[in-house]
Amino acid sequence: MNQLGMGQAVNQALREEMMRDSGVFIAGEGIGVGIMESPMLPTFGLLKDFGPERVKDTPVSEAAIAGLAVGAAAAGLRPVVEILFSPFFTLASDMIVNHAAKLRYLSGGKSTFPLVVRIKNASGHGAGCQHSHNLEAWAAHCPGLKVVMPSTPADAKGLLKSAIRDDNPVIFIENMALYFQPGPVPDEEYLTPIGKAEIKRQGKDVTVVAWSNMVGLALRAADQFSQEGVEVEIVDVRTLAPLDKETILASVRKTGRLVVIHEANRTGGFAGEISAIVMEEALASLKAPLRRVTGPDIPVPASPPLESFYIPNEENLISAIREII
Amino acid sequence: MNQLGMGQAVNQALREEMMRDSGVFIAGEGIGVGIMESPMLPTFGLLKDFGPERVKDTPVSEAAIAGLAVGAAAAGLRPVVEILFSPFFTLASDMIVNHAAKLRYLSGGKSTFPLVVRIKNASGHGAGCQHSHNLEAWAAHCPGLKVVMPSTPADAKGLLKSAIRDDNPVIFIENMALYFQPGPVPDEEYLTPIGKAEIKRQGKDVTVVAWSNMVGLALRAADQFSQEGVEVEIVDVRTLAPLDKETILASVRKTGRLVVIHEANRTGGFAGEISAIVMEEALASLKAPLRRVTGPDIPVPASPPLESFYIPNEENLISAIREII
Amino acid sequence: MQITKEKKIEMLRSMLLSRQFEDKLTELCKIEGKIPGMMILCTGQEAVGSGVCAALAPEDIIISNHRSHNHLLARGADPNALMAEIYGKRTGCNKGKSGTLHLAVPEVNALCTTTVVGGGPPIAVGTAFAQQYRKEESVTVCFFGDGAADEGSFHEALNLASLWRLPVIFVCENNLYAGAQRYEEHTKVKDIADRAIAYAMPGEVVDGNDVTAVYRAACKAREIAVSEKGPTLIECKTYRCHGHGEADLQLYQPKDEIAAWVEKCPIDKLRDEALSEGLISNDAYEEMNRKMNEIVENAVRFAEESPFPSPEEALEDVFVSSRIS
Amino acid sequence: MQITKEKKIEMLRSMLLSRQFEDKLTELCKIEGKIPGMMILCTGQEAVGSGVCAALAPEDIIISNHRSHNHLLARGADPNALMAEIYGKRTGCNKGKSGTLHLAVPEVNALCTTTVVGGGPPIAVGTAFAQQYRKEESVTVCFFGDGAADEGSFHEALNLASLWRLPVIFVCENNLYAGAQRYEEHTKVKDIADRAIAYAMPGEVVDGNDVTAVYRAACKAREIAVSEKGPTLIECKTYRCHGHGEADLQLYQPKDEIAAWVEKCPIDKLRDEALSEGLISNDAYEEMNRKMNEIVENAVRFAEESPFPSPEEALEDVFVSSRIS
Ligand SMILES: Cc1ncc(C[n+]2csc(CCOP(=O)(O)OP(=O)(O)O)c2C)c(N)n1
Ligand SMILES: Cc1ncc(C[n+]2csc(CCOP(=O)(O)OP(=O)(O)O)c2C)c(N)n1
Ligand SMILES: [Mg+2]
Ligand SMILES: [Mg+2]
């Protein structure tokens, strides 16, 4: 197995799917000629290899980029477009939410919209709240969209390949910090199914539900607890929509304790959905109150100590777990 | 007390605040000259009484409407702008979420953005999913915004007046069906505080948390249960952000049973937040699993039987309550 | 350009069908509870859709908006399926999901219809991109109103279409109103066609009540598009003879303005021309009219006799069951 | 228009300060970990902000973007507070919340700065509306790039500003690049100034490296604005001599193109003019240069010596404690 960063894994997925299916094209701001040319980045080299017909640099026009995807998908292609940073999801949100997600339903099932919107989130780079804002809960609250948030390079590759082959609109959210954390990626071709959580670590004492960059952090916290004899089970949901309720519920039924961790702001974050499901279906198994470890209810600040305060860290998770074991 | 519809109550609030403060102006699509001239509508007669300097009909340009509010507020006015229907919140969302909500923080507390965005939701009118889409959970997931969703004409008036005087951006969501359901509105001037829930009905057996058009429905369901000797307590949160946790928790601690009802889609809806809070802080009081009564995870369909299926009704609530008592 | 007799008869027929269809809807709307949702008609504007669609090949795509009946009928959509959809019936072209506002008929390449004002242009960019990508000799037509030309999405779409020389014809139906707002009250540019200059794209003003003029302009634009010279913006100057919707009392439209435009009826104009050129006899015209009436009456019967969808059908058609392989 | 000696000296000083400030930042960026976030400089574009701001009165408002240093310094912002903010220090103009990308200095009426490309124009509409509403004799200037002119928000804002004859000057800094994308690769219109036609607004192309030309154009536009004739679009043709950000290696910018534009340095141009006109002596110029250097060195010292905010300060400044009364 190769050791790749998530950007490289995404790059492989794009490359393989573009080779496999001539209907796949990519478009976005700076995805062909970019201001940074690094092999760690998702679209590195694709312009050279696939040419300007299939690798489309666009103007700074997020609504048009998303509209391009909706229309091209309606007409039978498989667009994979990029929204540079997640706060700019707002600018594409009419096209994504009112069109990509709804037009199939509005057609009475006659049309399909096989498109992928890749969105990068940039917390941890000191860029501030107009570049860093986790909006996955918005997308997950929208029927008609699938929402994928991989935590490892291997998952990113397998899930993106599935997303591109999926006949439904998929929002694929990449945390940019993960571009630079190498992990093993299988050599042979594989697909990772959308809608299946993965237990990234088995444990019997407490369940931590996590996704994206919070999974690695949870694994490190779990290692610490293990030394104390506390076994933390880590459920990486991988896709928020559809959500693999069964895996979450099974884990909570086993451990009786639940912590949900996400980088997004606390109030209205997707931890709420997970809590509600557990409270509906596994209340009797619960031995302790819920704990949420999340970004606080503030915009992401720019100054390093402030930004560090924003992003949940191992200590936050460790003390949350301690409170309920 | 007068019997007024919610549109009339909103109209009174706008009128009173415009008379009180010359910095208040209103803007939006068709708020001056509209396609419907009915005294039941929120902006009826305001153009005539306040003139075109303060009642601004705008082009169909939601980003500019929201930007108008942000800039005018930054420069010291108190704009009250209208987004015609809630799905078009998407088109204004960059201005609202990345600017109205964040610019004060980004200024380090130097600037203030005293603005109100009134948003109408139109479910129940057969207009379909591009006119009907409850997005309050999006707004409530955004630090820097207050989110108000009144259930009665009296609350609407008092809360809108508070919203206009508030120095923070407030999203004020009106359910259009309520425009035509009269209720008592006090004659004398009053303000209703933002951030305070109201127990709309006392009860000891089960807590129903509701807002907007779901409150009336919950009251009717509660009446039915009362005949069976089951006393339902109804907490009308009135504002989603800030959320009055204490009132919710006190009620759940008393009744031990919780149902949350909202018209928005189930997955990722704001019921999740309320569940999480209860699971964190009042788990031990719970005698039964949570029930959520919500719109299903589909876009709002147009055909009458389909749309009726979408919108939560008394029977849905009654059976949810029955499941846990 | 010489227009054949057949083409003129085709356009006359198409306008007549549209008029009859909508006159019937006007009638039906007066019956309380008969037609759900808003009823938005294009009475008097028939020359636009009928003229443009007459210039298209079957493989060409149209993207329509809230005022779609004429576009779809001119494109050859089945009147029965349209009428049934407007009634919200299961036999409707979208199974009752869309209702009158977002009628989509992929069978005739009316791929997407959106009631989000300005939603069409970015999607048209996408479908035209697919046509270009596959090197088809086909074009996309996007219909939208004068109001829509104030939305940001219009700007982004035209810029991108021009940049990539996409085969798209942007058809602005300037009917002098956007909702209750007169043209001069929503923009200061004299002709929307002048906006083409902002994208170095050809722009043309056409008499939108002269179907042959519209047809000619569309033929020319189509020729430009398929010869890889890119998009054209055509502005059709016409008039909304009814209110924005059938519930609109048109209080803000001067009576003599309406009367003057009713005089300029595009159907009468072409009929008189056809009669004087001897292309059709009076009897044949009446026969055609009768025939269209019969089609509409059949459609109404079909719609009336069709069943409503059962409520649970609302749950269908959100997602495609994926073809992951 | 005759430009006074004082004005020229003021502009020379303002450009020099900006250049020194940014040259220092270029240096600092080479020190690993010194400056958080992205560093986006306007080296070579100083004539735009310095020329425009020289034409403004203190009560005029400016709205800036990600490339803001020159705008703010030219407006009279305190270099210490700017530098400290760039460092992420508590003494920064925004207490470390904004960092370099959204520096706002309300003290000098630099009311809002947004790094959302295209975010400025709608906000400028709002501030200019407030100026008009209060019948002030002041204007708003909105600075944005050529790339921003492709965003939908630009279109909506210019249309509304023109419609309402708002006192705004839209200043497009066309520096030939939007990120890594050359001008001709993001739009086909030769001059952004031509987009003014789409709104029946005056548009002017100016040599953006000639500060006196910029100043003259701004004076003229200001005159139009305050005499209630509405907005102007000024396009300043200039060049981004550095990369998009300091980490950008400029691989896509032809070396000779850069060299040619470095030759056209706006500071050298004005200096030579001032020298040859006898407005300043060589010694005085060197003294001015030294003085600016001292200001910058002081600013760096101030920033270095200032404390970081403590982490919990992140929680402040989201909301104003309301003045409800
Ligand atoms: C984004 C958005 N904003 C507002 C509306 C409400 N609305 C529906 S039609 C309409 C007027 C559109 O005018 P125009 O584009 O000229 O089309 P016309 O109705 O005249 O055919 C408005 C404002 C909407 N549907 N979508
Ligand atoms: C809405 C949005 N999309 C994308 C970006 C990323 N981005 C930052 S600057 C920039 C280029 C802007 O070009 P231009 O407007 O010409 O300004 P310049 O950087 O040349 O001064 C881009 C794409 C952004 N900040 N905001
Ligand atoms: Mg119109
Ligand atoms: Mg630029």
Side-chain angles (χ1 to χ4, degrees):
Chain A
M1 289 213 267
N2 273 313
Q3 290 286 326
L4 303 177
M6 190 180 281
Q8 292 171 297
V10 166
N11 190 280
Q12 281 195 352
L14 292 172
R15 197 175 281 279
E16 289 176 15
E17 294 306 303
M18 287 177 81
M19 275 168 31
R20 178 177 178 274
D21 182 345
S22 64
V24 178
F25 72 97
I26 65 174
E29 297 162 15
I31 61 156
V33 181
I35 53 176
M36 309 284 267
E37 292 290 334
S38 155
M40 302 304 282
L41 296 177
T43 53
F44 181 77
L46 297 177
L47 175 62
K48 196 171 127 278
D49 295 344
F50 294 95
E53 286 77 27
R54 296 182 68 191
V55 177
K56 309 294 295 181
D57 270 322
T58 65
V60 197
S61 304
E62 287 75 12
I65 293 169
L68 169 69
V70 173
L77 300 184
R78 293 193 168 268
V80 182
V81 299
E82 179 179 298
I83 296 297
L84 205 44
F85 300 119
S86 56
F88 314 148
F89 176 73
T90 53
L91 291 161
S93 64
D94 167 59
M95 276 297 138
I96 295 173
V97 171
N98 290 324
H99 295 92
K102 293 176 182 172
L103 284 173
R104 171 178 173 70
Y105 191 73
L106 283 171
S107 78
K110 282 180 181 167
S111 302
T112 54
F113 296 86
L115 61 95
V116 179
V117 181
R118 292 180 43 248
I119 302 179
K120 299 191 275 195
N121 190 50
S123 305
H125 297 78
C129 64
Q130 288 184 336
H131 281 72
S132 311
H133 191 169
N134 302 65
L135 287 173
E136 70 260 24
W138 281 27
H141 185 40
C142 186
L145 298 179
K146 298 189 176 183
V147 182
V148 177
M149 292 190 78
S151 69
T152 68
D155 282 353
K157 180 173 176 187
L159 285 163
L160 183 53
K161 285 170 65 84
S162 295
I164 294 172
R165 295 189 202 181
D166 201 298
D167 279 336
N168 299 290
V170 180
I171 309 299
F172 191 90
I173 305 177
E174 302 162 19
N175 186 295
M176 286 174 67
L178 299 177
Y179 288 173
F180 307 98
Q181 299 176 15
V185 174
D187 298 324
E188 66 287 359
E189 205 199 359
Y190 64 98
L191 294 173
T192 307
I194 292 176
K196 282 258 152 270
E198 187 176 62
I199 310 266
K200 283 277 188 322
R201 186 186 197 287
Q202 304 268 357
K204 60 176 180 19
D205 298 316
V206 54
T207 298
V208 172
V209 175
W211 51 90
S212 189
N213 53 332
M214 294 294 114
V215 173
L217 182 165
L219 285 166
R220 292 190 297 275
D223 282 346
Q224 284 216 26
F225 274 108
S226 193
Q227 294 167 13
E228 303 178 18
V230 175
E231 295 304 333
V232 179
E233 176 146 306
I234 296 174
V235 179
D236 176 0
V237 295
R238 301 201 291 199
T239 69
L240 266 54
L243 182 69
D244 182 355
K245 285 172 28 165
E246 296 318 320
T247 301
I248 297 170
L249 288 169
S251 178
V252 172
R253 289 196 182 107
K254 179 170 70 172
T255 65
R257 293 183 165 84
L258 175 64
V259 177
V260 187
I261 181 167
H262 58 59
E263 187 180 276
N265 300 113
R266 184 184 192 78
T267 297
F270 201 69
E273 178 62 28
I274 291 165
S275 316
I277 289 170
V278 168
M279 208 167 143
E280 283 167 336
E281 305 196 28
L283 184 72
S285 317
L286 284 176
K287 297 181 221 154
L290 166 77
R291 283 295 173 265
R292 284 184 287 176
V293 179
T294 69
D297 285 331
I298 59 173
V300 178
S303 172
L306 302 181
E307 190 181 32
S308 299
F309 176 82
Y310 178 89
I311 302 176
N313 60 30
E314 277 165 61
E315 270 168 55
N316 301 145
L317 179 56
I318 288 169
S319 43
I321 293 174
R322 259 193 226 300
E323 281 175 33
I324 59 164
I325 54 175
Chain B
M1 290 213 266
N2 272 314
Q3 291 285 326
L4 303 177
M6 190 181 282
Q8 292 171 297
V10 166
N11 191 280
Q12 281 195 351
L14 292 171
R15 196 176 282 278
E16 289 177 15
E17 294 305 304
M18 287 177 80
M19 275 169 30
R20 178 177 178 274
D21 182 344
S22 64
V24 178
F25 73 96
I26 65 174
E29 297 162 14
I31 62 156
V33 180
I35 54 176
M36 309 283 268
E37 292 290 336
S38 154
M40 302 304 282
L41 296 177
T43 52
F44 181 77
L46 297 178
L47 174 62
K48 196 171 128 275
D49 295 344
F50 294 95
E53 286 78 26
R54 298 183 68 192
V55 177
K56 308 294 293 182
D57 270 322
T58 66
V60 197
S61 304
E62 286 76 11
I65 293 169
L68 169 70
V70 173
L77 300 184
R78 294 194 166 266
V80 182
V81 300
E82 179 179 298
I83 297 296
L84 206 45
F85 299 120
S86 56
F88 314 149
F89 176 73
T90 53
L91 291 161
S93 63
D94 167 60
M95 276 297 137
I96 295 173
V97 171
N98 289 323
H99 295 92
K102 293 176 181 174
L103 283 172
R104 171 178 175 71
Y105 192 73
L106 283 170
S107 79
K110 282 180 181 167
S111 302
T112 55
F113 295 85
L115 61 95
V116 179
V117 181
R118 291 179 43 246
I119 302 179
K120 298 191 275 194
N121 191 50
S123 306
H125 297 77
C129 64
Q130 289 185 335
H131 282 72
S132 310
H133 192 169
N134 302 63
L135 287 173
E136 70 260 22
W138 281 27
H141 185 40
C142 185
L145 298 180
K146 298 189 175 183
V147 182
V148 177
M149 293 190 77
S151 69
T152 67
D155 283 353
K157 180 174 176 186
L159 285 164
L160 182 54
K161 285 171 66 86
S162 295
I164 295 171
R165 295 189 202 182
D166 200 298
D167 280 336
N168 299 290
V170 179
I171 309 299
F172 191 89
I173 304 177
E174 301 163 19
N175 186 296
M176 286 174 65
L178 299 177
Y179 287 174
F180 306 99
Q181 299 176 14
V185 175
D187 298 324
E188 66 288 358
E189 204 197 359
Y190 64 97
L191 294 172
T192 307
I194 292 176
K196 282 258 153 271
E198 188 176 63
I199 310 265
K200 283 280 189 321
R201 186 184 197 288
Q202 305 269 357
K204 59 178 180 16
D205 299 315
V206 54
T207 298
V208 173
V209 175
W211 53 89
S212 190
N213 53 331
M214 295 294 115
V215 173
L217 181 165
L219 284 166
R220 291 191 297 275
D223 282 344
Q224 285 215 24
F225 276 107
S226 191
Q227 293 167 13
E228 303 177 19
V230 176
E231 293 304 331
V232 179
E233 177 145 307
I234 296 174
V235 180
D236 176 1
V237 296
R238 301 201 289 199
T239 69
L240 266 54
L243 183 68
D244 182 355
K245 285 173 27 167
E246 297 318 320
T247 300
I248 296 170
L249 289 169
S251 178
V252 173
R253 288 195 181 107
K254 178 170 70 170
T255 64
R257 294 184 164 85
L258 174 64
V259 178
V260 188
I261 180 166
H262 58 60
E263 187 180 274
N265 301 113
R266 184 183 192 79
T267 297
F270 201 70
E273 178 61 28
I274 292 165
S275 315
I277 290 170
V278 168
M279 209 166 142
E280 284 166 335
E281 305 196 29
L283 184 72
S285 316
L286 285 177
K287 298 180 220 155
L290 166 77
R291 283 295 173 265
R292 284 185 287 176
V293 179
T294 69
D297 284 332
I298 58 173
V300 178
S303 171
L306 303 181
E307 190 181 33
S308 299
F309 177 81
Y310 178 89
I311 302 176
N313 60 30
E314 279 165 60
E315 270 167 53
N316 302 143
L317 179 57
I318 288 168
S319 41
I321 294 175
R322 259 194 225 299
E323 282 173 34
I324 59 164
I325 53 175
Chain C
M1 195 181 87
Q2 196 52 39
I3 305 181
T4 63
K5 173 184 163 179
E6 288 69 31
K7 205 38 103 179
K8 284 194 181 171
I9 298 295
E10 175 194 328
M11 295 194 290
L12 188 59
R13 190 186 176 284
S14 145
M15 290 195 290
L16 261 178
L17 175 58
S18 174
R19 178 68 60 87
Q20 293 263 14
F21 191 89
E22 294 205 326
D23 280 353
K24 189 72 200 180
L25 284 170
T26 299
E27 219 182 289
L28 291 167
C29 279
K30 295 190 179 127
I31 308 171
E32 177 79 26
K34 176 69 81 187
I35 308 282
M38 299 180 235
M39 181 49 55
I40 292 183
L41 306 179
C42 71
T43 322
Q45 304 179 209
E46 295 88 352
V48 180
S50 293
V52 169
C53 289
L56 301 184
E59 58 275 22
D60 293 337
I61 292 169
I62 73 165
I63 306 294
S64 182
N65 68 351
H66 56 283
R67 211 173 290 283
S68 69
H69 301 149
N70 165 259
H71 311 149
L72 300 172
L73 289 167
R75 195 65 191 139
D78 173 12
N80 288 11
L82 288 183
M83 189 62 85
E85 185 63 34
I86 292 169
Y87 269 78
K89 296 300 181 77
R90 176 191 284 150
T91 54
C93 52
N94 311 122
K95 303 188 195 163
K97 301 275 172 21
S98 86
T100 182
L101 287 177
H102 344 64
L103 295 161
V105 190
E107 301 91 299
V108 296
N109 270 337
L111 275 198
C112 302
T113 297
T114 169
T115 182
V116 176
V117 169
I123 296 176
V125 161
T127 55
F129 175 79
Q131 293 169 317
Q132 182 188 68
Y133 188 87
R134 286 193 292 244
K135 304 192 171 40
E136 294 171 6
E137 264 213 19
S138 59
V139 306
T140 292
V141 167
C142 180
F143 293 104
F144 56 94
D146 50 306
D150 295 340
E151 286 280 5
S153 53
F154 163 90
H155 175 70
E156 295 189 14
L158 269 75
N159 185 56
L160 189 52
S162 156
L163 183 69
W164 290 353
R165 294 184 182 281
L166 297 178
V168 49
I169 312 176
F170 294 103
V171 178
C172 179
E173 293 187 67
N174 186 344
N175 61 5
L176 228 79
Y177 286 89
Q181 200 166 34
R182 255 188 95 83
Y183 181 73
E184 308 81 44
E185 285 156 13
H186 72 75
T187 188
K188 274 187 63 177
V189 72
K190 208 178 117 279
D191 299 313
I192 297 282
D194 275 355
R195 296 210 166 143
I197 297 167
Y199 317 104
M201 176 194 296
E204 196 178 338
V205 175
V206 178
D207 176 350
N209 281 31
D210 178 352
V211 72
T212 58
V214 173
Y215 171 72
R216 277 198 185 85
C219 287
K220 193 169 110 195
R222 190 177 188 283
E223 189 48 44
I224 292 174
V226 295
S227 52
E228 295 173 36
K229 295 201 193 70
T232 300
L233 172 61
I234 300 176
E235 176 184 10
C236 301
K237 303 268 193 195
T238 181
Y239 190 75
R240 202 189 68 200
C241 291
H242 284 209
H244 173 69
E246 289 303 286
D248 171 355
L249 301 176
Q250 295 183 281
L251 300 177
Y252 52 86
Q253 279 175 275
K255 290 231 165 13
D256 51 346
E257 179 183 274
I258 303 177
W261 279 93
V262 167
E263 278 303 300
K264 292 194 244 179
C265 171
I267 304 179
D268 291 353
K269 185 175 163 64
L270 181 59
R271 183 204 52 202
D272 292 351
E273 214 175 291
L275 287 173
S276 80
E277 290 173 12
L279 302 182
I280 195 170
S281 69
N282 232 323
D283 284 357
Y285 177 77
E286 283 314 322
E287 172 60 18
M288 184 191 272
N289 210 354
R290 212 194 42 72
K291 190 73 209 303
M292 296 306 110
N293 191 262
E294 196 178 304
I295 293 174
V296 170
E297 291 300 336
N298 282 338
V300 170
R301 196 169 323 113
F302 175 77
E304 297 262 352
E305 288 170 2
S306 292
F308 277 107
S310 66
E312 301 72 29
E313 288 173 38
L315 297 171
E316 296 167 10
D317 301 323
V318 181
F319 287 107
V320 193
S321 51
S322 257
R323 56 139 214 190
I324 289 194
S325 59
Chain D
M1 196 180 86
Q2 196 51 40
I3 306 181
T4 64
K5 173 185 165 179
E6 289 68 32
K7 205 38 102 179
K8 284 192 181 169
I9 299 294
E10 174 194 329
M11 295 193 291
L12 188 58
R13 190 186 176 284
S14 145
M15 290 196 290
L16 262 178
L17 176 59
S18 174
R19 178 68 62 86
Q20 294 263 13
F21 191 89
E22 294 205 326
D23 281 353
K24 187 74 199 178
L25 284 169
T26 298
E27 221 182 288
L28 291 167
C29 279
K30 295 190 177 124
I31 309 171
E32 177 79 27
K34 176 68 83 187
I35 308 282
M38 300 181 235
M39 181 49 57
I40 292 182
L41 305 179
C42 70
T43 322
Q45 303 178 209
E46 295 88 351
V48 179
S50 293
V52 169
C53 289
L56 301 184
E59 58 275 21
D60 293 337
I61 291 170
I62 73 164
I63 306 294
S64 182
N65 67 352
H66 55 283
R67 211 173 288 283
S68 69
H69 302 149
N70 166 258
H71 311 150
L72 300 172
L73 288 167
R75 196 65 190 139
D78 173 13
N80 290 12
L82 288 183
M83 190 62 86
E85 184 64 35
I86 292 169
Y87 269 78
K89 297 300 181 74
R90 176 190 284 149
T91 54
C93 53
N94 310 124
K95 302 187 195 163
K97 301 278 174 20
S98 87
T100 182
L101 287 177
H102 345 64
L103 296 160
V105 191
E107 302 90 298
V108 297
N109 270 337
L111 275 198
C112 302
T113 297
T114 169
T115 182
V116 177
V117 169
I123 295 175
V125 161
T127 55
F129 175 78
Q131 293 169 318
Q132 182 188 68
Y133 188 87
R134 285 193 292 245
K135 303 191 170 43
E136 293 171 7
E137 264 212 18
S138 59
V139 306
T140 292
V141 167
C142 180
F143 292 105
F144 56 94
D146 50 306
D150 295 340
E151 287 280 5
S153 53
F154 163 88
H155 174 71
E156 295 188 15
L158 269 74
N159 185 56
L160 189 53
S162 156
L163 183 69
W164 290 352
R165 294 183 182 280
L166 297 177
V168 202
I169 312 176
F170 293 103
V171 178
C172 180
E173 293 187 67
N174 186 346
N175 61 4
L176 228 78
Y177 286 88
Q181 200 167 35
R182 255 187 96 82
Y183 181 74
E184 309 80 45
E185 285 157 12
H186 74 74
T187 188
K188 275 186 61 178
V189 71
K190 207 179 116 277
D191 299 314
I192 296 282
D194 275 356
R195 295 211 166 141
I197 298 168
Y199 317 104
M201 176 194 296
E204 196 178 339
V205 176
V206 178
D207 176 349
N209 282 32
D210 178 351
V211 72
T212 57
V214 173
Y215 171 72
R216 277 200 185 84
C219 287
K220 192 168 110 195
R222 190 177 188 284
E223 190 47 43
I224 292 174
V226 294
S227 53
E228 294 173 38
K229 295 200 194 68
T232 299
L233 172 61
I234 301 177
E235 176 184 10
C236 300
K237 303 268 193 194
T238 181
Y239 189 76
R240 201 190 67 200
C241 290
H242 284 210
H244 173 69
E246 289 303 285
D248 172 356
L249 301 175
Q250 295 185 281
L251 299 177
Y252 52 88
Q253 280 176 273
K255 289 230 167 12
D256 51 346
E257 180 183 274
I258 303 177
W261 279 92
V262 167
E263 278 303 299
K264 293 194 243 179
C265 172
I267 303 179
D268 291 354
K269 184 175 162 65
L270 180 59
R271 183 203 53 203
D272 293 351
E273 214 175 290
L275 288 172
S276 79
E277 289 173 11
L279 303 182
I280 196 169
S281 68
N282 233 322
D283 285 357
Y285 177 77
E286 285 313 323
E287 171 60 19
M288 185 191 273
N289 210 354
R290 212 195 42 71
K291 189 74 209 303
M292 295 306 110
N293 190 262
E294 197 179 301
I295 292 173
V296 170
E297 292 299 336
N298 282 337
V300 170
R301 196 169 323 114
F302 176 78
E304 297 262 352
E305 288 170 1
S306 291
F308 277 108
S310 66
E312 301 72 30
E313 288 174 38
L315 298 171
E316 294 166 11
D317 300 323
V318 182
F319 287 106
V320 192
S321 52
S322 256
R323 57 140 212 187
I324 288 194
S325 59

